Amino acid sequence: MPRTRYRERYSALVTLAALLVLAGFCYGPGLNGAFLFDDYPNLVNNDWLNLRAKTLTDFRSAAMSSDASALGRPVVMATFAAQSLAFGQVTPFISKALNLVIHLSVALAVFCFSRLILSTPVFRVLEKNRDVVATLATALWVLSPLMVSTVLYPIQRMAQLSALFVLMTLIVFVRWRLTVALLGIRSDSTFSALSWMGIFLTLALLSKENAVLTPLLIGLVELLFFFGLYGSEKSPRLCFVTRWFAVTAGLGLIACLVWIWPWIESGYEVRP
């Protein structure tokens, strides 16, 4: 690696580390806040979490104790069960502190994903500045005021972990797709990529169901940044599949929203 390139990479990493420290400093005062709204039925008044689970059966029951959805969001509830086991109970400070750690982890995933996207042929003109641009994208995420309620609202760990695992799925896809775009499909890397994508997508779905949009996000990444590039050439067949997927996924999403909209509205009837 040229010395200039090394310095740029080092500067980007130092800036990224400074961003994470700054974000931690900004969120620090809010860690002493109390539980809010949905924290009470899901955490404070959840008897399974207050059992201080000491057996595998109790831990499993605590992980499946949420009635927020049909899937129960067990990955997130398992983290609260582990928290209860480690610290004796689920407290606001520890919950918010762990949410902050997850937020910083998501920021690292945003940096990695942004850097990979900037390595695609579409952004070849930005290749020399991809570390800088990826750092700026990370800054917009980690310091955004929109994230305050997500980080300092303990039960929103559901959205945080879902976002983290969706990003991990996309990172694996883009890394694999960059290889395919250059060299074509290789069986070993393809099997590994599909396996990791399946694992991360499952964890995302078991954190919060909005991860069901991940295949659509993958399709958008393919459409916008690769669009049929295979072995350094455009593949007409892959281009056709990409178009077909984009149209089908878009229509399917619209149909789904129309179908479930009454159910979404009914969920807010009990709220002031």
Side-chain angles (χ1 to χ4, degrees):
M1 181 184 295
R3 182 170 297 182
T4 302
R5 186 63 181 153
Y6 176 82
R7 286 199 299 267
E8 291 175 355
R9 178 77 57 82
Y10 178 77
S11 299
L13 292 177
V14 170
T15 304
L16 178 62
L19 275 175
L20 299 182
V21 172
L22 177 60
F25 179 78
C26 291
Y27 279 101
L31 301 182
N32 294 309
F35 283 121
L36 297 167
F37 306 117
D38 292 349
D39 291 335
Y40 284 94
N42 287 284
L43 304 177
V44 180
N45 300 325
N46 187 335
D47 291 336
W48 288 110
L49 290 180
N50 294 328
L51 287 177
R52 300 182 184 181
K54 297 183 183 299
T55 67
L56 181 59
T57 300
D58 289 339
F59 188 89
R60 185 168 58 247
S61 298
M64 297 299 299
S65 61
S66 174
D67 59 357
S69 72
L71 296 179
R73 301 176 183 176
V75 170
V76 178
M77 297 309 296
T79 67
F80 285 112
Q83 182 180 324
S84 178
L85 185 61
F87 300 100
Q89 59 181 328
V90 178
T91 62
F93 179 83
I94 297 298
S95 299
K96 294 170 190 281
L98 291 176
N99 276 16
L100 176 57
V101 171
I102 296 171
H103 180 58
L104 300 181
S105 299
V106 175
L108 288 174
V110 169
F111 176 81
C112 293
F113 177 69
S114 300
R115 196 171 183 280
L116 284 170
I117 287 296
L118 292 167
S119 300
T120 60
V122 173
F123 290 107
R124 188 173 289 115
V125 68
L126 295 175
E127 184 177 1
K128 293 182 179 180
N129 298 310
R130 62 185 178 185
D131 290 328
V132 174
V133 177
T135 303
L136 289 174
T138 305
L140 289 174
W141 171 275
V142 76
L143 298 176
S144 172
L146 295 175
M147 299 299 159
V148 173
S149 60
T150 303
V151 176
L152 300 180
Y153 188 6
I155 199 60
Q156 285 301 314
R157 188 177 300 176
M158 296 175 176
Q160 286 186 299
L161 285 177
S162 180
L164 176 61
F165 292 129
V166 167
L167 277 169
M168 293 304 296
T169 305
L170 293 173
I171 287 171
V172 173
F173 172 76
V174 176
R175 281 180 61 88
W176 170 77
R177 193 62 183 81
L178 284 168
T179 301
V180 172
L182 183 63
L183 303 174
I185 291 179
R186 298 166 53 192
S187 58
D188 54 344
S189 62
T190 299
F191 176 78
S192 177
L194 290 176
S195 298
W196 281 111
M197 287 171 63
I199 291 171
F200 287 131
L201 180 55
T202 299
L203 292 172
L205 287 169
L206 294 179
S207 297
K208 195 170 184 180
E209 294 71 23
N210 54 5
V212 74
L213 295 175
T214 305
L216 180 60
L217 296 177
I218 290 174
L220 286 174
V221 169
E222 171 65 32
L223 180 65
L224 296 175
F225 304 113
F226 294 101
F227 200 72
L229 191 62
Y230 180 89
S232 301
E233 297 179 354
K234 286 283 187 179
S235 169
R237 183 176 299 178
L238 193 53
C239 289
F240 172 78
V241 171
T242 301
R243 292 191 188 97
W244 178 87
F245 178 84
V247 173
T248 304
L251 292 176
L253 179 61
I254 294 173
C256 183
L257 288 174
V258 171
W259 181 55
I260 68 172
W261 188 254
W263 176 78
I264 294 176
E265 284 188 318
S266 66
Y268 288 89
E269 290 178 353
V270 296
R271 301 195 178 193

